[in-house]
Amino acid sequence: MMIYGFSFLSLSASLILPWALTGLVQGERITESLVRDVRQSSTVQEMRLPSRKLISAVSTATTYYVSGNGNDRNSGLTTSSAFRTIQRAADLTNPGDTVLIMNGVYKNSRNAGSVVSIERSGNAKAWIRYKAYPGHSPKIQHNTWSGIGLSNGVSYIEINGLEIIGNNANISLGYALSQKWNTSNPRTNGSCISIEGRDRPVHHINILNNKVHNCGAGGISVIGADYVKVDNNTVFNNSWYSVYGNSGISLLMNCNTDNNRGYKMFVTNNRVYNNRMYIPWLGSGTISDGNGIIVDISKLGKRGAYRGRTLIANNITYRNGGSGIHTHESEHIDIVNNTAYENGQTPTLKKGQIYAGYSSDVKIFNNIIYTKPGQKANSNMKNTNVTYDYNLYTKGAVITVMGANDIIGDPEFVNPSNGDFRLKARSAAINSGYYWKDLKTDCTGKPRRAGRYDIGAYEYR
């Protein structure tokens, strides 16, 4: 079941579905590198029988095909016999299988809680992958609780190269305001990708290279999970109409599935913009979130405070309603080499572009923090062991805390009004950063030079 929950303990609300829907909607809802798909196989142990030949059984991974012109009565085993729905393939997958999704628009059926609900797991040596067919651009479009939902303790799943579109285009602000107390309306409260692990922790999930937009609630919502990589996604126009506090990319109540204290959660190389709230969060009656990226209440996970580290790096966040990036009641987080530009579009949200609040063991290094004059660049609310350093702030920014090697200057973006945040040759960000040994490339995959990094998501040369 895909269930959302909100933190009544948190100043920052997160995506929720009403607990009362438990009986109505079933099956809602890393350090792994991007690697080439390899056909996987597993072999049953061979047994020797007297005076018999050696007997073995081999199970080979399967590739399923889905097409906008397919039919669920087909075998799904070739492009010419493709399934029509992704769910049909999802219900058949086993470890090592791949689902290749061809051109088409894939919508939820009338009473479904999601377009595709993923509950069958891969394993460490044989992930299950849902991918766009090479050269194709499939679209998942929905007006329900989620486009893609992962739940029921699912693990070792990759979602790669899909476009997920919510229902915002069919909703007016007036209608959304008329629903501001309605917790059971999926048309306004639906998310694009929902990872729901509060009942059973979800783990080892890769969300890669997707276009995620126009969902009334969260863009990519990760709740109660471990070992998740959110990499190279474009996330925009989400969080507009839900009664819950949502953001473009949110990690809520990260959950320990082992004792590893290294990097386990990754939010990297994403472009996140124009996510904001227009409807008050029902928990406070105020606009609370609409951030680009947030790590929320990881100190209060179901299995205790989250012990693993989270890396937030090489992201570009701009013109979101709340912050570009921030942590709330969370710890063990590195926010490195991001570019945040003119976030805080909601007038009542004034805590900064990139900051930590009520957090500990957070490092905020090498970020470009661009504000209009007189606006806050950062905050320092009841933090312990939170370090800001080697960041670039623009002239006129209100800087609450400034590190010893932070600088004030002009990043000299190529064309920020059109979303081009590459650096010009005169940028103050060039060669002004700190060498962060765990981050070798910029947001385009270009190697960062040893020694002094450039500040921000882009390396100039």
Side-chain angles (χ1 to χ4, degrees):
M1 147 105 197
M2 166 181 149
I3 310 174
Y4 295 80
F6 60 89
S7 168
F8 55 86
L9 298 174
S10 171
L11 295 179
S12 171
S14 294
L15 183 59
I16 327 165
L17 278 183
W19 295 97
L21 291 174
T22 303
L24 299 178
V25 183
Q26 294 295 328
E28 294 289 322
R29 345 250 235 216
I30 32 196
T31 314
E32 293 285 340
S33 301
L34 292 174
V35 295
R36 182 182 60 199
D37 284 336
V38 179
R39 183 171 293 273
Q40 305 285 341
S41 65
S42 60
T43 305
V44 177
Q45 186 177 2
E46 297 171 338
M47 295 188 302
R48 293 191 178 277
L49 301 176
S51 304
R52 302 278 185 178
K53 290 184 178 181
L54 195 65
I55 300 174
S56 66
V58 177
S59 175
T60 303
T62 300
T63 297
Y64 294 104
Y65 298 87
V66 183
S67 167
N69 297 316
N71 190 312
D72 279 358
R73 292 190 294 271
N74 290 339
S75 69
L77 298 177
T78 67
T79 57
S80 60
S81 63
F83 294 137
R84 177 61 183 93
T85 68
I86 305 169
Q87 190 63 58
R88 173 65 173 143
D91 291 340
L92 297 174
T93 53
N94 289 305
D97 289 351
T98 298
V99 178
L100 291 179
I101 304 165
M102 301 165 70
N103 284 336
V105 178
Y106 302 91
K107 298 184 177 182
N108 53 283
S109 59
R110 183 173 181 180
N111 296 317
S114 61
V115 177
V116 55
S117 176
I118 298 172
E119 296 186 353
R120 294 169 70 93
S121 295
N123 61 50
K125 294 183 178 180
W127 287 56
I128 297 174
R129 292 179 166 88
Y130 295 79
K131 302 176 63 176
Y133 185 86
H136 284 223
S137 301
K139 294 176 170 55
I140 294 174
Q141 190 169 11
H142 75 95
N143 61 3
T144 188
W145 293 108
S146 65
I148 300 176
L150 300 96
S151 64
N152 198 35
V154 72
S155 59
Y156 299 101
I157 300 293
E158 178 182 299
I159 309 295
N160 193 334
L162 308 180
E163 181 173 1
I164 301 94
I165 309 165
N167 195 46
N168 284 358
N170 301 313
I171 298 293
S172 68
L173 179 58
Y175 175 78
L177 287 168
S178 77
Q179 300 294 300
K180 67 180 182 179
W181 304 112
N182 189 349
T183 61
S184 301
N185 188 346
R187 296 182 63 205
T188 53
N189 293 310
S191 292
C192 287
I193 297 177
S194 174
I195 298 173
E196 173 53 71
R198 277 171 296 187
D199 288 341
R200 293 178 59 192
V202 173
H203 60 94
H204 290 89
I205 307 294
N206 287 353
I207 307 296
L208 314 174
N209 310 309
N210 302 288
K211 187 177 180 181
V212 175
H213 60 101
N214 286 89
C215 285
I220 300 173
S221 171
V222 182
I223 306 177
D226 198 8
Y227 290 98
V228 176
K229 175 185 280 189
V230 180
D231 182 78
N232 199 39
N233 302 281
T234 302
V235 182
F236 62 97
N237 291 358
N238 301 294
S239 308
W240 289 6
Y241 296 138
S242 175
V243 302
Y244 305 109
N246 307 282
S247 294
I249 299 173
S250 60
L251 307 182
L252 173 67
M253 294 189 293
N254 295 341
C255 184
N256 301 295
T257 59
D258 60 22
N259 290 317
N260 182 5
R261 295 175 184 265
Y263 284 130
K264 298 201 290 177
M265 306 292 279
F266 298 83
V267 181
T268 51
N269 306 303
N270 301 286
R271 177 174 289 260
V272 189
Y273 63 95
N274 201 31
N275 303 281
R276 63 181 296 178
M277 291 174 62
Y278 292 99
I279 306 301
W281 173 44
L282 56 77
S284 65
T286 63
I287 304 295
S288 59
D289 285 79
N291 309 290
I293 300 167
I294 179 173
V295 182
D296 205 359
I297 56 174
S298 72
K299 291 181 178 180
L300 301 176
K302 185 175 180 179
R303 298 185 178 182
Y306 190 63
R307 295 185 291 273
R309 291 202 76 83
T310 298
L311 178 64
I312 302 175
N314 286 343
N315 299 286
I316 301 168
T317 66
Y318 58 102
R319 299 195 181 102
N320 295 287
S323 72
I325 302 168
H326 86 267
T327 71
H328 179 79
E329 291 193 43
S330 297
E331 54 193 350
H332 316 315
I333 300 163
D334 298 322
I335 302 173
V336 184
N337 276 103
N338 302 282
T339 296
Y341 178 87
E342 291 190 358
N343 297 285
Q345 293 290 309
T346 301
T348 55
L349 300 178
K350 302 178 180 180
K351 294 177 182 177
Q353 299 288 312
I354 297 179
Y355 68 92
Y358 303 89
S359 297
S360 59
D361 187 15
V362 179
K363 294 179 175 61
I364 300 174
F365 277 54
N366 293 357
N367 302 285
I368 294 177
I369 300 175
Y370 188 105
T371 69
K372 292 181 178 179
Q375 291 184 331
K376 291 190 71 171
N378 60 19
S379 298
N380 190 30
M381 300 172 296
K382 298 185 179 180
N383 293 317
T384 59
N385 191 25
V386 171
T387 305
Y388 294 82
D389 214 356
Y390 293 92
N391 302 292
L392 185 155
Y393 304 96
T394 48
K395 293 179 181 179
V398 177
I399 305 169
T400 302
V401 55
M402 191 163 180
N405 299 286
D406 285 348
I407 61 175
I408 297 173
D410 190 343
E412 290 275 355
F413 295 129
V414 169
N415 191 350
S417 61
N418 287 327
D420 189 344
F421 298 100
R422 290 175 299 165
L423 306 176
K424 294 180 181 178
R426 295 179 299 174
S427 173
I430 294 173
N431 293 332
S432 298
Y434 175 78
Y435 172 69
W436 194 271
K437 64 181 180 61
D438 295 309
L439 188 66
K440 302 299 186 185
T441 61
D442 74 354
C443 64
T444 67
K446 181 187 300 182
R448 292 191 181 272
R449 289 166 294 178
R452 278 293 183 91
Y453 282 9
D454 294 348
I455 298 174
Y458 286 99
E459 190 78 8
Y460 176 67
R461 293 188 181 87

